[in-house]
Amino acid sequence: MTSRLLAILLCALFILPAWTSSAHAADPATSLLKLHQMRLAAQRSLGDFYMYNGMEGDQRYARMIDVSVQLADARLKELTGMPGEASSALRQQLEQEWKAYAKDLANLMAALKQQGFTDLQPVADLTVRNQRLLALSSELYSTIQQEGATVVPPLTQRSREQSLMMQTIAVDYASRSASVGGSFIGANGSKAIDQLAGEFTSQLADLQGAPQNTPQIREALSEIGTKWRYIEKSLKNYNEKSVPFLVNKYSDRITEGLEEVSARYAALQL
C-alpha cells in the first residue's frame, strides 16, 4: 500500500464526519469508513503475502505487508462506540479473528524467511481465516448501518465495493501466480478471475456513467479506466502468460484511484 493511498484514506476520515449536523449521527458513518479501510488493508495483506512468497522473499513485499497490517490494526483499534449490542459483539469477534490472522501471517513470513519455503496447508489455513475475517467485517458493516440508522450513499458504497473487488482480483491472481505448494488457493472461493474481471468492467462503466459525477470525478474514473485496460486482458486470459508484478502494481494504483473517487463522492454529501 503506497503512501498516496494512505494519505487518501486519512483524508477521507476528515470528510465523513461532516455528512450530518450532529456528532452522534456522524459516528456510524465514520465507523463504516474505518471498517472499510480495515478490511481493504486486511485483504491487501494476503495478496502481498502471495507476492512475497512467489517472489522468493522479496523484501519490498515484506514492507508492504507490514504497512497493510499496521493500517488494518490501527483502523480496528479506532473502531469504537458501536451503535448497538449486535455490532458490539461482531466487533469483538472481528478483533479476535484479526489477531489470529495477523499471528498466522507473521508465522508464515518467519517460516519463509528461515526455510525459504512454506507448506501448503498453513497457507490454505491463512486464506480461509482471511475469508472469515472479510465475511465478519461485511456482516459488521451491514449491522452498523442497521443499528446506527445510517445508509452509505449509493455512489460511495459502489466505489467502495469496486475497491474491494479490485483487491479480490489481485489476491486471486497473486495466489495463482505464486502456486504455493503447486496448488492454486483462491481468495474469493467461487468466481473465476475472468468472471470477476468482466464484472469489474461492467461496474466501472456504471460508475463512469453516473449523472452525479463532477468533472474531477469523471477525470479520476477515466484514469482508472486507462489503468484497468492495461491489465484487463491479462486478467481475462489468466491461464496464459503470468504477469503478477504488473497486476499487483496496477491494482494498487486502481484501488488508490477508487478510494479517491469514494472520498469525492462522500464530499458531495456536504
Side-chain angles (χ1 to χ4, degrees), residues 32-40 141 160 164 259:
L32 288 166
L33 175 60
K34 290 179 178 179
L35 179 57
H36 168 69
Q37 294 177 351
M38 183 268 172
R39 63 181 177 179
L40 198 63
Y141 193 88
R160 287 180 185 177
L164 291 167
E259 289 304 292

Side-chain angles (χ1 to χ4, degrees), residues 13 26 32 38 103 118 128 169 199 208 233 238 248 255:
L13 286 174
L32 288 166
M38 183 268 172
K103 181 180 179 181
T118 54
V128 171
I169 292 170
E199 291 180 8
Q208 290 172 326
K233 184 177 179 181
Y238 62 91
N248 181 271
T255 303

Side-chain angles (χ1 to χ4, degrees), residues 94-126:
L94 183 64
E95 182 174 6
Q96 294 171 350
E97 196 66 44
W98 165 249
K99 287 180 177 178
Y101 170 79
K103 181 180 179 181
D104 288 351
L105 178 59
N107 289 340
L108 276 169
M109 290 182 66
L112 185 59
K113 184 177 181 180
Q114 294 168 7
Q115 302 170 183
F117 65 92
T118 54
D119 294 329
L120 175 61
Q121 191 57 52
V123 178
D125 292 343
L126 182 74

Side-chain angles (χ1 to χ4, degrees), residues 4-270:
R4 180 168 176 262
L5 178 52
L6 183 57
I8 291 169
L9 298 181
L10 289 172
C11 288
L13 286 174
F14 292 100
I15 290 173
L16 271 180
W19 279 10
T20 59
S21 57
S22 71
H24 177 73
D27 286 341
T30 304
S31 294
L32 288 166
L33 175 60
K34 290 179 178 179
L35 179 57
H36 168 69
Q37 294 177 351
M38 183 268 172
R39 63 181 177 179
L40 198 63
Q43 196 176 25
R44 185 74 171 90
S45 70
L46 182 62
D48 286 336
F49 171 73
Y50 286 139
M51 292 298 295
Y52 182 62
N53 195 322
M55 296 294 179
E56 300 179 348
D58 189 327
Q59 287 304 300
R60 116 182 61 180
Y61 295 107
R63 291 190 292 270
M64 292 168 72
I65 292 169
D66 187 55
V67 170
S68 294
V69 168
Q70 287 188 40
L71 179 60
D73 193 65
R75 288 294 176 265
L76 183 58
K77 288 176 179 176
E78 293 166 358
L79 195 62
T80 58
M82 295 291 95
E85 292 183 2
S87 55
S88 295
L90 284 169
R91 162 67 178 76
Q92 185 175 7
Q93 291 178 44
L94 183 64
E95 182 174 6
Q96 294 171 350
E97 196 66 44
W98 165 249
K99 287 180 177 178
Y101 170 79
K103 181 180 179 181
D104 288 351
L105 178 59
N107 289 340
L108 276 169
M109 290 182 66
L112 185 59
K113 184 177 181 180
Q114 294 168 7
Q115 302 170 183
F117 65 92
T118 54
D119 294 329
L120 175 61
Q121 191 57 52
V123 178
D125 292 343
L126 182 74
T127 301
V128 171
R129 193 175 288 281
N130 186 270
Q131 291 171 348
R132 289 203 299 266
L133 187 68
L134 295 178
L136 262 176
S137 65
S138 294
E139 186 177 357
L140 177 56
Y141 193 88
S142 297
T143 304
I144 289 173
Q145 291 185 80
Q146 293 168 3
E147 293 187 333
T150 299
V151 177
V152 178
L155 290 174
T156 303
Q157 181 60 27
R158 284 163 58 187
S159 56
R160 287 180 185 177
E161 291 171 354
Q162 198 79 358
S163 289
L164 291 167
M165 183 182 291
M166 182 72 265
Q167 288 296 290
T168 296
I169 292 170
V171 170
D172 271 12
Y173 194 91
S175 170
R176 183 175 293 276
S177 299
S179 298
V180 182
S183 301
F184 164 60
I185 305 172
N188 71 79
S190 57
K191 297 179 180 179
I193 295 173
D194 55 346
Q195 184 180 354
L196 287 171
E199 291 180 8
F200 188 95
T201 299
S202 175
Q203 293 177 22
L204 180 60
D206 288 344
L207 278 179
Q208 290 172 326
Q212 300 94 323
N213 289 348
T214 63
Q216 293 84 357
I217 291 175
R218 284 196 293 271
E219 181 180 358
L221 288 171
S222 177
E223 291 176 359
I224 291 168
T226 299
K227 295 180 178 70
W228 171 249
R229 286 190 293 275
Y230 198 72
I231 60 173
E232 183 180 8
K233 184 177 179 181
S234 295
L235 294 169
K236 290 186 174 180
N237 299 284
Y238 62 91
N239 284 320
E240 298 178 5
K241 183 180 178 181
S242 180
V243 286
F245 174 78
L246 187 70
V247 170
N248 181 271
K249 177 181 177 180
Y250 275 84
S251 66
D252 197 28
R253 292 180 178 179
I254 289 167
T255 303
E256 287 179 1
L258 287 166
E259 289 304 292
E260 182 178 354
V261 166
S262 181
R264 288 187 181 277
Y265 280 140
L268 293 178
Q269 305 301 314
L270 298 178

